[in-house]
Amino acid sequence: SADDAVSCLRPDHLSGPLDVGCFTTLAPFWLPGILEEIQRTCPDVECTIHEVTATEIETRLNQRKLDAVFTYAFDYGRGIDVDVLAEAPVYAAVAENSPLAARSAVTLAELADQPLILLDMDKSTNYFLSLFRDAGLQPHIQQRFGSFEVVRSMVARGHGYTILNQRPAHSLTNDGLSLVALPVTGVRSHLLMGVAHRSGEKLNRKAQAFADACRAVLLPEDGLSVSDM
């Protein structure tokens, strides 16, 4: 409140420190652009964006170590709200030499008996498995990894398929192999992205500028939303 009171002396100008967060698997895709946007719109704001896991978000917000967090709209407890910005579509990734690679799309039923390389991270784990549960299916989990890139590399090597939401701009893995991304039909991701903050408390002006930067990057003026990609 004191920070906003000082800012009101110059309502057209924001300055000073701002500590915010970005969910760790979203960071490689969105953090650089969000930081660039807030530096462009608020050049005198000293913005530091911390990578955080799902289990850290509630604690860091309630301890006021962070003013807001760009993240998935998981349940972080009664004290945290998420202002939703966009939905992250779900897709399956397979190796180039997979029999499924020539397909234009797949279903969860076609994947369930195949070996799954699961991205195993906090609340993300339950989300991926819930897609199968909701469809009345039981996936065959071959391996679990907490690293997005390890999962992609394992799939490219032919160890199985995976289910993901964030899609790199290229198909290459870190070891130089390629993946094929396939839409999963008959299922909606229901995985929403947005800005988490303390419930019942209005964002301060600098945190709102961060939220606006997230919105500008996810929903550019050309009208193409994340769910269209």
Side-chain angles (χ1 to χ4, degrees):
S1 297
D3 190 49
D4 273 354
V6 172
S7 296
C8 285
L9 298 175
R10 294 184 63 188
D12 60 337
H13 183 78
L14 295 177
S15 62
L18 170 64
D19 282 279
V20 289
C22 184
F23 185 58
T24 182
T25 57
L26 290 175
F29 301 93
W30 304 105
L31 190 156
I34 291 170
L35 182 59
E36 183 178 284
E37 177 67 12
I38 198 167
Q39 288 175 337
R40 182 185 70 81
T41 56
C42 306
D44 292 325
V45 169
E46 302 158 16
C47 182
T48 301
I49 306 181
H50 306 264
E51 285 188 71
V52 291
T53 64
T55 54
E56 294 174 320
I57 290 175
E58 181 180 12
T59 300
R60 292 204 186 189
L61 284 173
N62 285 330
Q63 291 179 347
R64 299 186 179 275
K65 293 181 179 180
L66 300 176
D67 291 313
V69 178
F70 174 57
T71 184
Y72 290 121
F74 296 131
D75 181 5
Y76 297 111
R78 291 182 298 175
I80 304 299
D81 289 339
V82 179
D83 296 335
V84 172
L85 298 175
E87 181 175 341
V90 65
Y91 69 94
V94 300
E96 279 188 315
N97 60 357
S98 167
L100 296 174
R103 299 279 299 276
S104 59
V106 291
T107 66
L108 285 182
E110 292 172 314
L111 296 171
D113 291 334
Q114 303 295 316
L116 169 62
I117 309 299
L118 178 66
L119 180 59
D120 192 8
M121 287 187 59
D122 299 327
K123 296 178 183 291
S124 297
T125 306
N126 185 61
Y127 162 72
F128 289 123
L129 295 180
S130 74
L131 297 175
F132 291 92
R133 287 197 302 269
D134 292 346
L137 299 169
Q138 179 68 40
H140 171 49
I141 301 173
Q142 181 79 8
Q143 299 281 350
R144 298 169 179 256
F145 296 101
S147 165
F148 182 87
E149 287 302 329
V150 170
V151 167
R152 295 180 74 249
S153 293
M154 288 289 290
V155 171
R157 289 280 177 180
H159 293 286
Y161 74 97
T162 193
I163 298 290
L164 297 170
N165 295 94
Q166 300 302 319
R167 185 172 173 179
H170 58 80
S171 63
L172 290 177
T173 61
N174 284 349
D175 55 356
L177 299 180
S178 292
L179 293 172
V180 175
L182 301 170
V184 180
T185 59
V187 62
R188 181 176 174 183
S189 79
H190 294 290
L191 187 59
L192 306 175
M193 297 180 290
V195 176
H197 56 88
R198 294 176 287 275
S199 60
E201 186 175 313
K202 184 179 179 181
L203 288 174
N204 63 50
R205 295 181 63 218
K206 286 185 288 187
Q208 183 59 56
F210 168 72
D212 292 342
C214 293
R215 186 186 308 277
V217 172
L218 261 70
L219 305 171
E221 292 182 359
D222 62 12
L224 180 65
S225 69
V226 174
S227 60
D228 295 324
M229 296 179 181

